[in-house]
Structures are given as structure tokens and as C-alpha cells.
Amino acid sequence: RDLHSFPTRRSSDLDLEYHETMFVLCDDYVNVRSTPNKKQDPIGRLEVGDSVVFDGRKKNGYVHCIDLSFEQSNGWVFAGFLVYDEPEKVGQTATIVSYGRLAARKYVNGKRTRWLKSGAKLKVRYWTEEWALTDCGYVQSKYLELDGE
């Protein structure tokens, strides 16, 4: 038989088994869109701490989420506002503990907005194992020590 006569399976024919729960970490809310484009009108909003199920598809900095509680049950969420651990509301100060400068970021793994010095105090709004949302932006929580602990 000719090699090309065998039926082939495309990746789109395969059942996606990848499902990962992620949580929203943002100041107010994050928009869910029907396409991975920030110019697209939102189909819904998610608030800090809301969980989403990521099905493995990524495009333009967005991840595709399923089983949403909107009329349209799936949509695209900007990945920079999603984390793997459920955020804990903190509302207290923390001290930066590092051997140099610490980058404050616009969102998780995002563009650096400024450098912060070791020993500086920050007001922490939300905390996860990897990231903290502070009054200066997103910083890696491993370089913060919550005051009073």
C-alpha cells in the first residue's frame, strides 16, 4: 500500500484530556472573551479568587477556559491574571527579602514596571505560593516576608 492511503488523525480529532484548574489574581476583575483578542467585546467577567478550567489551548497570551458560568460556557482569559494556587486575601505589610533588587510586574510573569529594594515594605492585597499582588504590582512571593509572622 501507498503510505498516503492510510488514514491519518489530526490533533483536532483527538480528545483533549488536559484540564487544569487555575485561579484569577487581579485587582478588580478580568474579562472573558470569545476570541483571544483584547479588542473583542467581553462575554463575562471573573473576580479575584474565581476558578477556571484551562483546557490546554493558548494563543496571543490568552488561555482557553471551559465550563464557565456564563451563557457561553467557554472563552479566553488573559494568562497574566491566572495562577495555580487559590489567592488568599492578606491586607497586611510585607518586607522584601532578597540579595538584590526585586522586579514589580504589571501582571504574573509580565513586563517589569519598576525595581524594588531589599528591605522595602509593601502592602500585600493577595498572596499565593508563587505570586503576591501588592500596592506596587505583582511580585514573586518567595522574596516577601509577611510582617508579624
Side-chain angles (χ1 to χ4, degrees):
R1 279 176 110 183
D2 185 75
L3 178 63
H4 298 289
S5 66
F6 287 102
T8 59
R9 293 186 75 181
R10 298 184 311 263
S11 61
S12 60
D13 296 334
L14 302 175
D15 184 26
L16 283 175
E17 291 295 325
Y18 184 90
H19 297 295
E20 180 115 34
T21 300
M22 300 181 85
F23 298 90
V24 175
L25 179 62
C26 63
D27 273 325
D28 194 11
Y29 64 86
V30 63
N31 288 318
V32 179
R33 302 181 189 284
S34 59
T35 63
N37 181 341
K38 70 179 179 181
K39 294 179 182 176
Q40 178 74 38
D41 287 338
I43 58 171
R45 291 180 174 174
L46 297 168
E47 296 179 357
V48 66
D50 285 348
S51 65
V52 296
V53 178
F54 165 50
D55 71 4
R57 292 188 278 168
K58 301 176 187 178
K59 188 173 184 180
N60 300 335
Y62 286 77
V63 296
H64 190 259
C65 299
I66 58 174
D67 299 330
L68 298 169
S69 60
F70 310 127
E71 187 175 324
Q72 185 173 331
S73 66
N74 61 63
W76 295 87
V77 178
F78 184 65
F81 297 115
L82 296 176
V83 292
Y84 290 105
D85 301 310
E86 188 170 4
E88 176 185 339
K89 189 170 186 170
V90 177
Q92 69 186 80
T93 58
T95 303
I96 297 173
V97 180
S98 70
Y99 292 109
R101 302 179 298 175
L102 177 63
R105 302 190 178 277
K106 189 172 182 176
Y107 45 82
V108 172
N109 289 322
K111 181 180 177 180
R112 184 187 72 243
T113 56
R114 64 194 260 190
W115 288 110
L116 304 169
K117 293 181 181 180
S118 185
K121 299 276 189 188
L122 302 175
K123 173 117 173 138
V124 178
R125 296 182 195 136
Y126 294 96
W127 181 277
T128 72
E129 194 172 309
E130 285 189 76
W131 292 93
L133 178 55
T134 73
D135 56 343
C136 293
Y138 293 82
V139 298
Q140 291 181 300
S141 55
K142 67 182 178 182
Y143 297 111
L144 297 179
E145 203 170 86
L146 290 173
D147 295 346
E149 287 193 2

